[in-house]
């Protein structure tokens, strides 16, 4: 199952990093797992160039190779190496021009190119957002790209989650979306402590970003964990990370065989970080002969 990548260590990473170059900070995860919220929050520091969903790394490591390798021609490898380097040096150059010591990309799809990002940029830091399969699937399924069927959406969650293994464990900070919703103060405190341990100064983060609805569906703003008072966040409060009224026995029966193994693996690998929201109180399943019947969860 999942384990830490081999052949990497922090000392080698420090030697590989170019002296004085801004460091990369990537907030990534399955889409709709809180990457925009945490990305914009970390990008609020004046020491950070917030590139938002920059997409440059994803394009040069995924989209461009998929296209160019189908075309007969010469020097593809050299060309790909050069534009992949450009994605990094462009971010470094803009960050340097803004006098920032970090540049931040919170494109969630960067998880698809985790292996490439683990190798270059050197010394980069990864904040990984983890969300329980049920809430993530419900959110993903609202979009055409999230899967035509519930099974498609569940498989997307599994496929992207399986790529976590390619991220370097010693430069990885996991954050649970459901943990953030249930215990925002404690979860953010742990995140800030981990960032400080990696040389990221968290003292100038703008807490007002925690009171803003991020990446919401049009017309449906998300609940927020920050409570504003006179323009300042005075406190944090829990919110629901999962709408149990939208989950049914029919949905669960279709996705559970697909997500089960990955769900248990994430629970094992990230105890206390990846966690389950409160389970639905009761679920029903449509039966052709008996109509609606009670559905018992095997696990949650």
């Amino acid at each position: 199952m999942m384990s830490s990548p081999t052949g990497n260590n922090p000392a080698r990473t420090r030697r590989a990093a170019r002296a004085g170059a801004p460091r990369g900070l990537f907030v990534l995860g399955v889409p709709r797992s809180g990457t925009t919220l945490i990305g914009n929050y970390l990008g609020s520091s004046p020491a950070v160039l917030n590139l938002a969903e920059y997409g440059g790394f994803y394009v040069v490591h995924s989209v461009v190779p998929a296209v160019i390798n189908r075309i007969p021609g010469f020097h593809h490898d050299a060309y790909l190496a050069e534009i992949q380097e450009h994605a990094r040096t462009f971010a470094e150059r803009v960050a340097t021009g803004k006098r920032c010591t970090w540049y931040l990309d919170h494109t969630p799809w960067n998880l698809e190119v985790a292996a490439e990002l683990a190798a270059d940029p050197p010394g980069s830091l990864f904040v990984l957002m983890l969300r329980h399969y049920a809430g993530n699937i419900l959110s993903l399924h609202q979009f055409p790209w999230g899967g035509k069927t519930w099974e498609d959406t569940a498989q997307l969650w599994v496929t992207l989650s399986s790529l976590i293994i390619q991220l370097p464990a010693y430069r990885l900070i996991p954050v649970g979306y459901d943990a953030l919703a249930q215990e925002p103060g404690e979860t953010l405190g742990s995140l800030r402590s981990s960032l400080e341990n990696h040389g990221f100064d968290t003292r100038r983060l703008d807490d007002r970003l925690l009171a803003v609805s991020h990446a919401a569906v049009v017309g449906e703003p998300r609940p927020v964990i920050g409570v504003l008072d006179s323009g300042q966040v005075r406190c944090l409060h829990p919110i629901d990370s999962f709408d149990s009224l939208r989950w049914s026995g029919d949905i669960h029966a279709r996705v559970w065989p697909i997500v089960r193994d990955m769900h248990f693996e994430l629970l094992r690998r990230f105890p206390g970080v990846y966690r389950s929201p409160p389970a639905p109180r009761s679920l029903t399943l449509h039966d052709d002969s008996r109509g609606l019947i009670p559905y018992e969860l095997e696990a949650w």
Side-chain angles (χ1 to χ4, degrees):
M1 301 299 284
M2 290 186 177
S3 60
S4 300
T6 59
N8 294 313
N9 60 67
R12 185 177 303 158
T13 297
R14 286 193 294 269
R15 289 195 299 268
R18 296 189 299 131
R23 289 181 66 186
L25 176 60
F26 295 88
V27 179
L28 69 178
V30 178
R32 310 298 292 182
S33 63
T35 54
T36 305
L37 165 62
I38 295 301
N40 283 328
Y41 178 55
L42 300 183
S44 69
S45 168
V48 177
L49 172 68
N50 184 3
L51 293 169
E53 294 192 21
Y54 169 47
F57 291 101
Y58 176 74
V59 167
V60 300
H61 286 295
S62 179
V63 179
V64 176
V67 173
I68 200 169
N69 286 329
R70 296 199 302 264
I71 302 171
F74 302 105
H75 307 295
H76 285 175
D77 290 344
Y79 173 73
L80 287 173
E82 191 166 314
I83 64 168
Q84 287 163 2
E85 182 180 11
H86 176 265
R88 171 175 54 79
T89 57
F90 174 83
E92 291 175 346
R93 184 171 67 253
V94 178
T96 299
K98 299 289 185 180
R99 298 184 178 180
C100 294
T101 55
W102 296 83
Y103 60 86
L104 182 148
D105 181 355
H106 53 84
T107 305
W109 296 100
N110 278 333
L111 193 54
E112 282 193 357
V113 294
E116 290 79 5
L117 293 180
D120 183 55
S124 54
L125 188 60
F126 301 93
V127 175
L128 172 67
M129 299 303 299
L130 299 163
R131 188 177 185 181
H132 186 265
Y133 65 86
N136 219 153
I137 287 172
L138 280 178
S139 190
L140 283 170
H141 201 66
Q142 299 175 93
F143 302 93
W145 49 264
K148 293 182 179 180
T149 67
W150 290 108
E151 290 85 353
D152 290 342
T153 307
Q155 188 58 58
L156 176 62
W157 182 84
V158 170
T159 298
L160 291 175
S161 297
S162 69
L163 299 174
I164 293 169
I165 190 176
Q166 298 178 351
L167 295 170
Y170 54 88
R171 289 187 276 137
L172 181 64
I173 302 175
V175 179
Y177 178 85
D178 300 277
L180 178 65
Q182 294 168 19
E183 300 173 347
E186 180 179 320
T187 303
L188 287 173
S190 176
L191 170 60
R192 287 191 289 262
S193 177
S194 296
L195 288 166
E196 292 281 355
N197 290 337
H198 285 276
F200 184 99
D201 186 354
T202 64
R203 291 174 295 178
R204 293 189 288 173
L205 291 175
D206 188 350
D207 288 346
R208 291 175 296 179
L209 272 295
L210 302 173
V212 177
S213 180
H214 298 267
V217 177
V218 175
E220 299 180 20
R222 285 182 175 180
V224 295
I225 58 177
V227 178
L228 278 177
D229 180 15
S230 300
Q232 298 296 322
V233 173
R234 300 302 179 188
C235 65
L236 300 174
H237 68 145
I239 60 174
D240 292 330
S241 63
F242 165 69
D243 185 356
S244 61
L245 296 178
R246 293 173 55 205
W247 196 254
S248 68
D250 295 278
I251 297 173
H252 194 88
R254 292 171 66 175
V255 307
W256 178 245
I258 300 170
V259 304
R260 177 178 52 216
D261 290 346
M262 180 56 63
H263 170 63
F264 287 133
E265 177 61 16
L266 293 177
L267 286 172
R268 182 197 69 79
R269 190 178 187 211
F270 302 104
V273 176
Y274 173 78
R275 64 174 68 172
S276 301
R281 293 184 178 179
S282 62
L283 293 175
T284 56
L285 185 70
H286 288 81
D287 183 88
D288 290 341
S289 59
R290 292 183 292 168
L292 287 177
I293 60 174
Y295 179 84
E296 297 295 331
L297 291 171
E298 175 186 333
W300 183 252

